[in-house]
Amino acid sequence: MIRVLLADDQQIVRTGMAMILSVEDDIEVVAQARDGLQALEMNALHRPGVVLMDIRMPRLNGLDALRRLTRPYAEHRPQVVMVTTFDDEEYLARAVEAGACGFILKDSGPRLLAEAIRAAAAGDAMVSPSITVRLLRRLRTSPGPAPATGLSPREEEVVLLLARGMTNSEIAAALGITVGTVKTHLTNVQAKLTARNRVEIAAWAWRTGLAEPCAQTVSPVATAVPSARTGLTSR
């Protein structure tokens, strides 16, 4: 069972997400928080596996709460998925740096919400398809480390496709390899880059210039096609 904490200053949003998740057999909402400080308290008390965190909240905003939850010496470090709107785009790059493992829009459909939680719990990441490449392209304007020299040509190909929003299955099909091989490459890349998750791998690719804009970068929007798994998912 995946234990989830909902953190949002709007009660109607928390109630709506809780209702959506209540029908999922493998997900349990164990606590709710109305601001960042209460989120820290509920995290310590209930020790959830995943936190859905709004960015803009009173007393302590979601970004600062995220930093506290993911700091190395934190007593309990959950996976944190940021819940955002298009107006919050300026904060997303900083959330990547702070260790967020995914981003979803507040108007995402029920299936995408549940999939984001499952991906986070599995140590993977999901970004709403409508903001995936917008977010990562924005990171190109931020200073970053020089490209790692330890990546093999095949690993660079995998990272490039990941940065363009492809899933593991799509990467495998594009390169003519198995999904298992894709996962192995990404595990090696994560170790070489000391990246915490797939989002950080993709962010590195955009910052260093490995990823460049292309015409087709994101799968169809998941809310429009309920069965689609899009963004930085692992499958």
Side-chain angles (χ1 to χ4, degrees), residues 36-51:
L37 286 180
Q38 189 176 36
L40 297 180
E41 296 170 358
M42 293 297 100
N43 177 69
L45 181 62
H46 296 279
R47 304 176 75 84
V50 177
V51 177

Side-chain angles (χ1 to χ4, degrees), residues 110-210:
R111 183 177 295 274
L112 189 61
L113 182 65
E115 288 182 349
I117 292 172
R118 294 187 182 103
D124 297 318
M126 172 175 280
V127 178
S128 289
S130 47
I131 63 173
T132 300
V133 178
R134 283 184 63 188
L135 163 63
L136 296 174
R137 283 177 178 167
R138 184 183 182 89
L139 297 177
R140 297 185 72 210
T141 63
S142 305
T149 58
L151 297 187
S152 69
R154 176 62 87 185
E155 288 169 346
E156 289 187 355
E157 290 177 331
V158 171
V159 170
L160 172 60
L161 297 181
L162 170 67
R164 289 176 175 172
M166 287 189 179
T167 66
N168 283 356
S169 297
E170 291 168 338
I171 294 172
L175 298 180
I177 57 180
T178 67
V179 172
T181 301
V182 173
K183 291 181 179 179
T184 298
H185 284 314
L186 288 176
T187 297
N188 293 337
V189 169
Q190 190 168 334
K192 290 179 180 180
L193 300 182
T194 62
R196 286 170 289 191
N197 51 52
R198 297 167 67 91
V199 173
E200 288 193 353
I201 293 175
W204 173 87
W206 284 97
R207 284 200 186 95
T208 58
L210 176 64

